Amino acid sequence: MKTGTFKSDFILLFVAIIWGFAFVAQRIGMDHVGPFTFNGLRFVLGCLSLLPIIYFQRNSPSAKTNTGLIKSGIISGIFLFLGISFQQVGLVYTTAGKAGFITGLYVIFVPFLNLFFKQDKTGLGTWIGAVLACIGMFLLSVTNNMRMEFGDVLVLFSAICFAFHLIIIGRWSNRFNTAKLSLVQCMVCAFLSLLVAMVFETFILADILKITIPLLYGGVLSVGVAYSLQIYGQKNSPASHSAILLSLEAVFAAIGGWLILNEILSGRAFLGCALMLAGMLISQLYYKK
């Protein structure tokens, strides 16, 4: 493995760890504020955490390519907003562990979307992975009365949006400065989230102060640091390869929910998680462009 590829893989694995435990922070935040308020504030913090990086990079060669940056950042920011919004609202109605595994299904959607956009052939591994993931999601999310929980459906929609976002970042990560592209998309996400929050939710300072730590984690680490590292890591890693590592956030979300929130999966749900993870990995390990 090339040094650059190994470095990118390590970075993306670190991103998966941050995002996995971010499900816990997001779940705790829902106890005190609305989902769009939480997202808006944490993306504002994410933007602020990126400003010092951009300032110190102002004279570097990578800071000179700005043509198309705003347009690209707006497009990626819209898909990021849709994904994070469906996920955050879904977390009101489901657990951090379940949300993490369902979100991880974007690893299945990425090769299918690449097939649609690039007319690639879909390998046998992708089909096997998709079948295993579907069976796993059925066991994890569908109740005994054959109904899928509302929160799980919302998180599934977020996985589709994140798949689009992953492909977009994979195409544009080498064209622009990492911190600048991350800043633009985070600004878009913060603006849209706060706009929706102003219409449908109520700002109460006392409640916001109660979630200072989850906000700092969700804003500085999960947004400012992780999304920037994602863009940087994908510079030397194709979208389908990146998806393997990033999908491991599902595992860390389940670990975080168990350790911090005392969430316990039933035997049926645990089997569903195992099948979903197997499907995610098989679909990518045997995916051929």
Side-chain angles (χ1 to χ4, degrees):
M1 183 181 293
K2 295 180 180 179
T3 303
T5 302
F6 178 80
K7 181 179 179 181
S8 293
D9 288 352
F10 180 80
I11 289 173
L12 293 174
L13 177 61
F14 185 58
V15 170
I17 295 173
I18 294 176
W19 281 350
F21 281 90
F23 281 93
V24 176
Q26 291 172 242
R27 191 71 180 82
I28 294 173
M30 293 303 91
D31 294 335
H32 301 283
V33 299
F36 291 97
T37 299
F38 184 85
N39 276 341
L41 292 175
R42 77 185 184 108
F43 273 90
V44 167
L45 288 174
C47 291
L48 293 175
S49 69
L50 289 169
L51 293 179
I53 299 174
I54 294 175
Y55 175 79
F56 287 113
Q57 289 182 344
R58 66 189 185 282
N59 295 321
S60 65
S62 61
K64 295 180 180 180
T65 304
N66 294 316
T67 305
L69 173 66
I70 302 298
K71 178 181 177 181
S72 301
I74 289 174
I75 294 173
S76 63
I78 289 173
F79 278 100
L80 179 59
F81 165 74
L82 292 173
I84 207 71
S85 296
F86 279 124
Q87 183 190 78
Q88 192 69 32
V89 176
L91 276 166
V92 177
Y93 306 99
T94 191
T95 64
K98 288 177 67 177
F101 272 94
I102 296 174
T103 300
L105 285 176
Y106 63 72
V107 75
I108 299 291
F109 298 137
V110 166
F112 281 103
L113 290 175
N114 273 330
L115 172 68
F116 177 79
F117 289 116
K118 299 180 180 180
Q119 298 183 340
D120 291 336
K121 293 183 179 180
T122 302
L124 179 62
T126 300
W127 291 110
I128 294 175
V131 171
L132 287 176
C134 288
I135 296 173
M137 190 172 68
F138 176 85
L139 294 174
L140 178 66
S141 303
V142 179
T143 58
N144 292 330
N145 58 3
M146 301 301 291
R147 290 181 56 189
M148 189 172 182
E149 298 295 334
F150 178 61
D152 298 338
V153 174
L154 292 178
V155 178
L156 180 61
F157 280 125
S158 81
I160 297 173
C161 295
F162 284 134
F164 276 102
H165 181 257
L166 192 72
I167 291 173
I168 290 171
I169 291 300
R171 291 186 177 184
W172 291 340
S173 59
N174 284 311
R175 291 179 55 187
F176 307 109
N177 172 266
T178 298
K180 285 186 177 181
L181 179 58
S182 184
L183 176 64
V184 175
Q185 70 170 8
C186 287
M187 287 176 65
V188 171
C189 196
F191 172 77
L192 293 176
S193 296
L194 291 175
L195 187 64
V196 175
M198 289 175 63
V199 177
F200 296 103
E201 298 174 0
T202 302
F203 291 88
I204 301 176
L205 182 60
D207 289 338
I208 294 174
L209 292 176
K210 292 177 182 178
I211 57 169
T212 301
I213 294 178
L215 266 180
L216 288 173
Y217 184 94
V220 177
L221 282 178
S222 180
V223 175
V225 174
Y227 280 111
S228 296
L229 289 177
Q230 178 203 1
I231 296 172
Y232 183 81
Q234 284 192 238
K235 289 182 183 294
N236 294 306
S237 180
S240 56
H241 187 195
S242 303
I244 300 175
L245 294 161
L246 294 178
S247 68
L248 294 177
E249 70 174 294
V251 177
F252 296 110
I255 293 173
W258 172 60
L259 289 176
I260 302 173
L261 300 178
N262 297 316
E263 295 178 355
I264 300 176
L265 294 175
S266 65
R268 169 191 169 110
F270 184 80
L271 176 59
C273 289
L275 288 174
M276 289 175 71
L277 183 60
M280 294 173 198
L281 296 177
I282 289 173
S283 70
Q284 294 301 308
L285 291 173
Y286 297 97
Y287 171 66
K288 296 182 179 179
K289 283 194 169 185

